[in-house]
Amino acid sequence: MKKLKINAIYLLGLFFVLNSCTNDLDVVPQDDDVFLSEDFFAQPNAYKIGLAGVYGNLAVTGYGDAGSSFLEGIDAGTSQFTRCLWYMQNLTTDEVLWSYENDPGTKELQRNIWGADNPIILGMFSRTMGEVAFANEYLRQTTPQKLSGRGITDATLLAEIETYRGEVRALRAYAYYVLMDLYGKAPFVTEADPINFAGPQYDRQQLFTFIESELTTILPNLKAPRTNESGRLDQSFARMVLAKIYLNAEVYLGTNKYAECMAQCTEIINGGFALKPNYLDNFKADNNTSEEMIFAIQSDGQVTQSYGATTVMVNGQVGSLESNGVSFGVGAGAWGGALRLRKQFVQKFDGVAFDFDARKTVMGGGPRSLDITDVLDRNQGYILGKFSNISSTGIPGQNSTFVNTDFPLFRLGDVYLMYAEAQMRNDGATNGSSTANASSQSLTYINSLRERANDGNFANVTTGDVTLDFLIDERARELHWEAHRRQDLIRFGKYTGGSYNWAWKGNGANGIAISNNLKLFPIPEQSLASNPNLTQNTGY
């Protein structure tokens, strides 16, 4: 399928109109001589180029090579959207450890001892508020008044631009969803506000209301599921964000919205997506062709180079002892054991039921110990082989460092498990109960995933097997390293406190209890200084 061509030059132009953007971005643009002029909009296909730029902020960090960044004072690697998302949703949990703790911010994240000065937390806040700012400026530049003033009257082009505007609004709603989930609050700014406006602070209730209303409003005007070009969103993207906020509504609002989550999941499932027969094909260099992918953030080893999550994961999963990078389509030694698995995740695959499970790409044993007693010892801890820079047909990516593998933000396998969880909770299952009440429909969805992973062997479970504890473990087996784990552990009551500990949780080798304030990340110090409307989260 043809991919949307990411355009970083448009983003550079946007930085001119945000030239005092410490309020919107908490950073400073690198080049204030480049700006969006009417000459830009006179170009052929200008509005689609601009659209690609808004998408591009999620994929690239700058308009140069992978080390370039639009955000001055922040390293490109610690401000790339998917990398920051992955660090904050996965590195802070029971799934994975990063070996090179001298990399700024990583030690504090993976040991759950972060503070408001953490550069990755700043990078994520800045990049995501940047997405809001880019979306707002695109919407300002595409109003009917602006288009009329430029003499644009072609009905086909006007209809296309209206579609683009809907996608941009959906991307902005997604950005606010990320901020709501990670930080619990954000400065609220729309295209109706002046540039460099210091937005008022919106809490979770206000952000939830905006996201829900915005996506519900634009949903009918987005393209139907699986009809847009690769790299662009459709109605199922909007429904996925809605399903996510409904599934987590008890965390965000203290309100049960499981029936609403089930309804959105059903709409997505009926949208023409299908499970990829080979589970691992969802994580290969041509995963943009997967019929399971609802939305993926683009990665291309030639034209969208960045140190994004998939480049980090493919290179990082190469073992220090194994030097097995060629089998993943990168250098033999790659990053030499940068990523290793925490014991508690590996144990999710214990037992004969998972001997032939395609999701079990764990490698260890022999000289490689299961326990990690020294985070800096790259020979300790098992490693993973889930992601690859080789296509489903065996063709390696063009670049042996920067991968072609898109980041699977939303896929159908997650929807199946979301439906099952929402149904069980809607019918009375709680974190404090071992009640097994999965419906026949939920069992069908769960067993479809297990059968896909096992070719029918040792796959099927029954109602008596499926408790909420089973379900969170199944989410780990199906969705590990896909930026869901922190959110899941919080929703299941297993993140803070000491009821469930993992290696190096709370900076203890065997894990210790952590405080409830860590369910939210702090507002970065720079952001507080630049916007007096913002307040710090409790406990920081």
Side-chain angles (χ1 to χ4, degrees):
M1 183 184 293
K2 180 184 176 184
K3 279 191 176 185
L4 175 69
K5 184 178 180 182
I6 295 298
N7 192 285
I9 298 299
Y10 177 80
L11 290 180
L12 177 62
L14 281 174
F15 271 87
F16 177 79
V17 297
L18 305 171
N19 64 1
S20 179
C21 56
T22 50
N23 289 331
D24 280 24
L25 301 173
D26 308 306
V27 292
V28 180
Q30 287 191 338
D31 187 346
D32 62 3
D33 295 324
V34 181
F35 59 98
L36 283 177
S37 68
E38 293 304 311
D39 289 340
F40 171 82
F41 291 104
Q43 297 179 77
N45 217 23
Y47 294 95
K48 188 172 183 181
I49 293 171
L51 173 72
V54 182
Y55 279 101
N57 181 59
L58 303 179
V60 298
T61 54
Y63 57 91
D65 61 19
S68 69
S69 178
F70 297 121
L71 309 182
E72 190 175 85
I74 303 178
D75 177 74
T78 54
S79 67
Q80 200 281 332
F81 179 82
T82 56
R83 183 171 182 169
C84 288
L85 181 69
W86 190 79
Y87 276 174
M88 294 171 76
Q89 295 283 17
N90 288 97
L91 203 60
T92 63
T93 75
D94 59 349
E95 287 192 352
V96 61
L97 278 169
W98 178 256
S99 301
Y100 304 118
E101 290 198 313
N102 287 333
D103 288 359
T106 55
K107 178 178 180 178
E108 293 76 16
L109 284 181
Q110 66 185 10
R111 295 178 187 236
N112 312 100
I113 53 172
W114 58 76
D117 60 347
N118 186 284
I120 297 169
I121 293 173
L122 170 63
M124 188 62 182
F125 194 89
S126 300
R127 183 66 60 179
T128 311
M129 281 307 301
E131 185 68 4
V132 172
F134 296 150
N136 286 341
E137 184 55 25
Y138 186 89
L139 294 172
R140 291 186 189 106
Q141 294 292 337
T142 55
T143 62
Q145 294 79 8
K146 284 280 189 180
L147 298 175
S148 176
R150 296 180 186 126
I152 297 176
T153 59
D154 180 80
T156 300
L157 178 56
L158 288 170
E160 287 177 351
I161 294 172
E162 192 59 28
T163 298
Y164 300 159
R165 285 173 59 84
E167 292 178 35
V168 168
R169 290 172 67 181
L171 289 171
R172 182 178 61 183
Y174 169 72
Y176 273 125
Y177 155 70
V178 171
L179 292 163
M180 176 178 68
D181 181 70
L182 295 176
Y183 302 95
K185 61 180 67 168
F188 186 72
V189 188
T190 73
E191 73 276 18
D193 297 310
I195 294 168
N196 306 319
F197 175 67
Q201 177 176 284
Y202 267 32
D203 61 19
R204 271 183 162 167
Q205 176 66 72
Q206 292 167 306
L207 291 171
F208 189 103
T209 299
F210 169 76
I211 295 162
E212 181 181 35
S213 173
E214 183 79 341
L215 292 175
T216 302
T217 298
I218 64 176
L219 202 155
N221 298 319
L222 297 175
K223 286 186 176 290
R226 293 183 55 77
T227 63
N228 215 343
E229 65 183 313
S230 178
R232 288 174 59 189
L233 63 86
D234 58 28
Q235 289 177 346
S236 292
F237 174 93
R239 293 194 184 280
M240 193 70 178
V241 178
L242 287 170
K244 287 288 183 184
I245 68 171
Y246 293 145
L247 184 64
N248 292 282
E250 280 201 290
V251 174
Y252 299 153
L253 310 178
T255 302
N256 179 329
K257 291 187 179 290
Y258 298 119
E260 291 91 332
C261 177
M262 292 170 65
Q264 294 298 330
C265 289
T266 299
E267 291 286 348
I268 296 167
I269 291 166
N270 293 336
F273 299 94
L275 294 182
K276 192 74 175 172
N278 184 334
Y279 171 78
L280 291 176
D281 283 351
N282 287 305
F283 315 105
K284 294 181 178 177
D286 57 350
N287 62 346
N288 63 295
T289 65
S290 172
E291 59 271 32
E292 185 170 344
M293 210 65 67
I294 295 167
F295 184 76
I297 297 175
Q298 289 191 33
S299 180
D300 188 292
Q302 294 296 100
V303 299
T304 56
Q305 292 185 357
S306 77
Y307 291 104
T310 49
T311 284
V312 170
M313 290 186 286
V314 176
N315 285 280
Q317 69 188 9
V318 175
S320 56
L321 296 171
E322 295 79 2
S323 294
N324 54 334
V326 173
S327 64
F328 303 136
V330 292
W335 294 356
L339 294 171
R340 287 158 298 130
L341 300 172
R342 305 197 203 213
K343 175 172 70 174
Q344 289 72 21
F345 168 74
V346 174
Q347 291 172 334
K348 300 290 186 286
F349 287 101
D350 282 354
V352 295
F354 303 104
D355 283 351
F356 304 101
D357 196 306
R359 304 171 298 184
K360 184 180 180 181
T361 62
V362 174
M363 295 172 276
R368 184 169 288 286
S369 62
L370 175 61
D371 286 290
I372 300 175
T373 59
D374 180 358
V375 176
L376 302 182
D377 186 348
R378 293 171 292 152
N379 297 337
Q380 293 183 354
Y382 287 12
I383 60 175
L384 195 72
K386 177 173 177 175
F387 286 83
S388 175
N389 189 33
I390 298 175
S391 75
S392 59
T393 58
I395 301 172
Q398 313 100 301
N399 191 297
S400 60
T401 297
F402 301 105
V403 305
N404 282 1
T405 312
D406 292 350
F407 183 76
L409 192 69
F410 297 140
R411 64 180 177 88
L412 184 62
D414 186 14
V415 183
Y416 281 0
L417 293 174
M418 288 170 64
Y419 179 95
E421 180 186 341
Q423 175 267 307
M424 292 175 67
R425 293 188 188 275
N426 191 58
D427 291 347
T430 65
N431 289 331
S433 169
S434 60
T435 300
N437 62 348
S439 69
S440 59
Q441 183 63 79
S442 293
L443 285 175
T444 296
Y445 291 149
I446 293 167
N447 285 327
S448 293
L449 296 174
R450 293 171 70 86
E451 289 164 7
R452 186 261 298 269
N454 290 277
D455 290 331
N457 297 316
F458 308 109
N460 289 337
V461 292
T462 64
T463 300
D465 299 318
V466 183
T467 63
L468 287 180
D469 280 343
F470 166 90
L471 205 55
I472 190 172
D473 286 350
E474 192 68 10
R475 286 188 63 82
R477 288 185 283 264
E478 177 70 27
L479 300 166
H480 56 278
W481 286 30
E482 296 180 53
H484 301 293
R485 188 61 173 168
R486 167 194 157 273
Q487 187 185 83
D488 289 348
L489 288 170
I490 290 172
R491 191 173 64 256
F492 280 80
K494 295 177 178 288
Y495 191 65
T496 57
S499 63
Y500 174 57
N501 290 330
W502 55 83
W504 297 102
K505 177 185 177 182
N507 206 21
N510 296 313
I512 61 174
I514 59 176
S515 58
N516 277 332
N517 70 293
L518 297 180
K519 290 178 182 177
L520 287 173
F521 292 100
I523 304 301
E525 291 175 344
Q526 294 91 324
S527 306
L528 292 172
S530 69
N531 187 339
N533 297 322
L534 293 176
T535 59
Q536 187 54 275
N537 284 322
T538 301
Y540 294 104

